[in-house]
Every structure is written in structure tokens, then in C-alpha cells.
Amino acid sequence: MLAPILCVVGARPNYMKVAPIIRAISAVTQDIDSILLHTGQHYDESMNDQLFRGLRLPEPDFNLNVGSGTHAAQTADVMRKFEPILDKVEPSCVLVVGDVNSTLACALVAAKKLVKVVHVEAGLRSFDRSMPEEINRVLTDQISDVLYTTERSAHKNLEREGIDPKRVRFVGNVMIDSLLANLPHAIPTTQTLTRHELPASLAEEKEGYAVVTLHRPSNVDDRNTLAGLLKSLSHISQTHPLFWPMHPRTRSNIERFGLLPLLRSKYVAILPPLGYLEMLGLMSKARLVLTDSGGIQEETTALGVPCLTLRENTERPITVEEGSNTLVGREHQTIIRAVQEILETGGKAGRVPEYWDGRAADRIATHLVAWISENSGLGVA
Ligand code: UD1
């Protein structure tokens, strides 16, 4: 038996990435266990527990229960609480995914203790250092020993930052593994609406419904920016009923800024954060999706559903170049024109990028298990 792989999750977008990896590792070998550690960055039933259930993730072996805080406090708390667990488990490597604060915090603790770090979803860059995730991406990649990428643009980014290409491997997108495995079990939109006491008929009205998600500080923390976006969304609801599973940060800001009246319409349905299978059902049948999430840009590309990204940049350029995503920023006229175009033409269907085929976790598991067994963590095979 070799030392286990310590897999870290912290926030909602991590769960769908780690679930297929844990499954794939146990399919490849009985000789290396995966241990699951949750930092507790996300903790609400709606942000956490219902997603764990939907993805059939095992109960975490460890939970650091850090909760919310400033970036410094949250990151520091994860680091302080992670260290003794790392000492106890003595893993062959720490596997982190994505770009949340927990990703960087655990990678940093491991690297300083000379424990190998494996980063899944490496090399993505928005080139916007005002995003906390961009800082997390750049730093995590610098201290990782093995870097698995979702798209080829990541390789150029990593090379530019001086990372040895021998450490980097293109495997595809594990988030799409979860999507393809779970799509047959997606919960129909009408059922989701009914569960939240909304008329199921809303799903069939007007020109088809739109799904909205917004949570980036740059969109929701400033009153004027948020008010502008709400006005655009309210305008869109004249043609497309909006279904909006709302992130707690966004909900509290809308209330705090007194902006709720902007959303008072039968055609704007505010929902709590949804389970994974509900969200898949909602997105797969949407006429369009409006978002600032990274994961949703990828999921809509895999589903071939037109996506309008309410940001000035994306760290996932392949979703624009090949997929169904369009960057529209925050300017009202640009957003409305893009929606109009979807109404007239049906919008971008795009194509599914290379290796977004449901087998990315298999590629990771095969490579990682060979790397651990053959090199005892001394270098990439
Ligand atoms: C985090 C990630 C972001 C990811 C997002 C997905 C970082 C820097 N950001 O942002 O990359 O896209 O998760 O949701 O790691 N809150 C709750 N319940 C929870 C969790 C949070 O009410 O279970 C509230 C808290 O008031 C908190 C706020 O939401 O202050 C923000 O949570 P936090 O984890 O700090 O960052 P996110 O905005 O969720």
C-alpha cells in the first residue's frame, strides 16, 4: 500500500471536479487510497450539503470548518488548520482543484512541507489581477509539481511563467466528466420550479427561459454596477422568464443596496442556490444563460447552450473560441444586442472542445498513479 492522495475541496465549484477523480483513482488501483478533506469555505446546506449528495461524493474524512472571512483570514485559517492534518496523513501528494482560496492555502502548506502538489485545472489566466482567483491560480501553479490542464491555451500561459512543460499534462475537463455522467439524472425544470413554489408553466412562456447566476465581487459588490446589471436583466425578462439561483453574497448585497424592487416581476424567479442535478436540468433546457461563473461558461459550452458572460475577460478562452460562450461585459446595450441576436439566430451552438469527453478523470488517475508508484514523487514520468 502506498501513501494516500489527499484531495482538497473548499467551495462549491470544487465538488464536481473532485468527485470523478476520486472515483477514477479507485478504479485504477487498490493500492492508493484517496482521502477527502473539506476546508469548510462553503458550509450552507444549499452551497454544500445538497451538492455533495447530488454528486454522490463521500463524506469528507476531515473538515476544517473555516467558514467565511476576509481573504487573509480565510486563507490563514485554512493553512493553520490544514498543517496538523497533513502531518498526520503523510500523503504521497496533495491534490487541489480550481482557483478558490482553499486551493492556494492547502497548496502553500504542502509545498513548504515538501509534500508534492498536484493542481487540476492549471494554467487558466484572465490576466486580471483584481480577481482573487487569478492570484490563487498564478501562485498555485508556481508551487505545483504536476499540473493538469483543461485547454491548450493553458500551456502557453504556464510556459510564459517559467513552468517546466514536463510537469504539465493536457487531460481535458473533469467538470465535464461530472456533467456527462449526471446529465441523464438531471431534474426537469418544471419539477424544480414546483419544489420552489413557482408556476411550472413559467418554463414554457415567451421565447424560452434564461438562467442567471452572478457572484463575482466585481459585479455584485458595487451598488451602481449591480443596479445596472439588474436593469439589463429586468429588460431581458420581457422576452425570457429569468430563473436565478442566487448566491448568498449577491442576495445580501441586493438587499443591503435596496435593489429588490428592480426585480419585482412575475418573470424574474429568484431561487436559492440549487442542487447539482437541478442546475443541470435548468441549464440544459435554457434558451440562454447569463453568468459570471467560470464553471458555467464551460458547462454551457459542453451543453451547446448559448452563454453570455457578464465580464470583460475570461480565463477560459476556448469557451469563446470554440464553444457557445460570448463575452458581453456589463454595458446595457451590448448585453441587450447579444440577447436580441440569440432571439433572431438561435445563438452560438459552438462545438465541444478536445478532451471534454467525460474521460479526463481517467487520464488523471492513470497518470497520477503511475507517477506516484514509479517516481515516489521524485518527478513526472
Ligand atoms: C468562492 C470562490 C469563487 C467561486 C465561488 C463559488 C474564492 C476567492 N472565491 O467565492 O472563486 O467561484 O466561491 O461560489 O475562493 N456564504 C454563505 N454560505 C456559504 C458560503 C458563503 O452564506 O456556504 C456567504 C458569506 O457571507 C461569504 C460570502 O458568501 O462572505 C462569500 O463566500 P466566499 O467563500 O468568501 O466566496 P465566494 O464569493 O463564494
Side-chain angles (χ1 to χ4, degrees):
M1 202 71 183
L2 292 157
I5 300 169
L6 183 51
C7 301
V8 173
V9 294
R12 185 167 64 166
N14 296 157
Y15 312 151
M16 46 295 254
K17 295 171 193 167
V18 164
I21 297 175
I22 291 184
R23 246 171 260 136
I25 291 169
S26 68
V28 167
T29 182
Q30 304 298 309
D31 292 333
I32 308 180
D33 277 342
S34 303
I35 294 195
L36 182 60
L37 177 135
H38 196 325
T39 65
Q41 177 173 343
H42 282 175
Y43 45 86
D44 280 356
E45 152 71 28
S46 63
M47 296 291 280
N48 185 63
D49 307 39
Q50 68 171 347
L51 281 125
F52 258 71
R53 283 196 300 277
L55 288 156
R56 287 169 290 119
L57 260 167
E59 275 290 302
D61 299 283
F62 299 96
N63 195 322
L64 307 183
N65 291 311
V66 297
S68 304
T70 63
H71 286 272
Q74 190 174 60
T75 308
D77 226 15
V78 173
M79 290 180 69
R80 207 170 43 75
K81 292 184 170 171
F82 182 56
E83 183 170 35
I85 295 184
L86 195 56
D87 290 340
K88 184 166 149 188
V89 174
E90 294 185 10
S92 55
C93 61
V94 170
L95 183 144
V96 295
V97 298
D99 55 16
V100 302
N101 286 344
S102 301
T103 307
L104 173 62
C106 293
L108 194 49
V109 174
K112 293 226 173 167
K113 289 188 152 284
L114 306 182
V115 175
K116 299 291 177 192
V117 178
V118 175
H119 186 204
V120 175
E121 200 186 273
L124 298 179
R125 297 290 180 268
S126 65
F127 304 102
D128 174 1
R129 294 263 170 123
S130 71
M131 285 177 82
E133 294 80 5
E134 183 74 353
I135 312 274
N136 294 341
R137 290 179 199 119
V138 170
L139 297 181
T140 303
D141 285 339
Q142 279 297 329
I143 54 176
S144 291
D145 296 279
V146 183
L147 299 92
Y148 293 121
T149 63
T150 54
E151 57 175 278
R152 291 195 187 271
S153 69
H155 293 246
K156 277 196 211 88
N157 297 334
L158 293 170
E159 207 172 332
R160 204 181 313 109
E161 291 169 19
I163 290 166
D164 182 353
K166 288 210 281 294
R167 292 199 211 159
V168 185
R169 206 168 175 96
F170 177 47
V171 291
N173 195 328
V174 284
M175 189 168 231
I176 306 308
D177 290 12
S178 274
L179 181 141
L180 295 176
N182 286 291
L183 200 53
H185 314 291
I187 295 172
T189 300
T190 47
Q191 218 170 299
T192 301
L193 293 177
T194 309
R195 180 167 91 89
H196 295 284
E197 293 166 8
L198 289 159
S201 59
L202 267 183
E204 308 293 338
E205 287 191 43
K206 303 197 178 198
E207 303 290 336
Y209 67 84
V211 175
V212 180
T213 82
L214 281 182
H215 74 281
R216 297 254 159 248
S218 52
N219 278 338
V220 306
D221 283 2
D222 173 72
R223 188 182 190 280
N224 286 342
T225 308
L226 184 55
L229 287 171
L230 297 192
K231 279 185 204 134
S232 301
L233 291 170
S234 158
H235 186 99
I236 296 166
S237 72
Q238 292 169 16
T239 45
H240 302 281
L242 300 186
F243 301 151
W244 187 347
M246 202 175 269
H247 188 284
R249 171 199 284 279
T250 312
R251 182 180 287 268
S252 86
N253 286 350
I254 289 177
E255 286 166 8
R256 186 160 60 93
F257 296 146
L259 297 174
L260 262 179
L262 291 177
L263 297 176
R264 252 178 225 129
S265 151
K266 170 183 169 208
Y267 293 108
V268 180
I270 298 175
L271 301 159
L274 295 177
Y276 186 66
L277 298 176
E278 285 183 321
M279 194 61 192
L280 272 190
L282 213 59
M283 284 195 297
S284 62
K285 298 284 187 260
R287 183 73 194 273
L288 77 144
V289 173
L290 298 121
T291 192
D292 60 9
S293 147
I296 290 177
Q297 294 172 53
E298 298 184 332
E299 289 168 339
T300 46
T301 274
L303 292 166
V305 171
C307 177
L308 301 181
T309 295
L310 303 167
R311 287 172 47 188
E312 306 298 338
N313 54 51
T314 178
E315 60 288 336
R316 293 158 160 93
I318 203 162
T319 60
V320 175
E321 287 153 15
E322 295 187 14
S324 57
N325 189 20
T326 309
L327 280 182
V328 291
R330 303 183 181 91
E331 212 268 314
H332 180 77
Q333 284 310 331
T334 316
I335 298 170
I336 300 308
R337 255 201 317 276
V339 173
Q340 192 58 36
E341 198 180 315
I342 292 173
L343 263 175
E344 284 161 14
T345 67
K348 259 170 108 174
R351 64 184 156 95
V352 178
E354 185 184 5
Y355 275 4
W356 291 24
D357 57 358
R359 303 217 33 235
D362 295 342
R363 290 184 199 101
I364 290 176
T366 307
H367 178 263
L368 188 58
V369 166
W371 180 72
I372 291 170
S373 7
E374 287 162 27
N375 301 285
S376 322
L378 292 175
V380 183

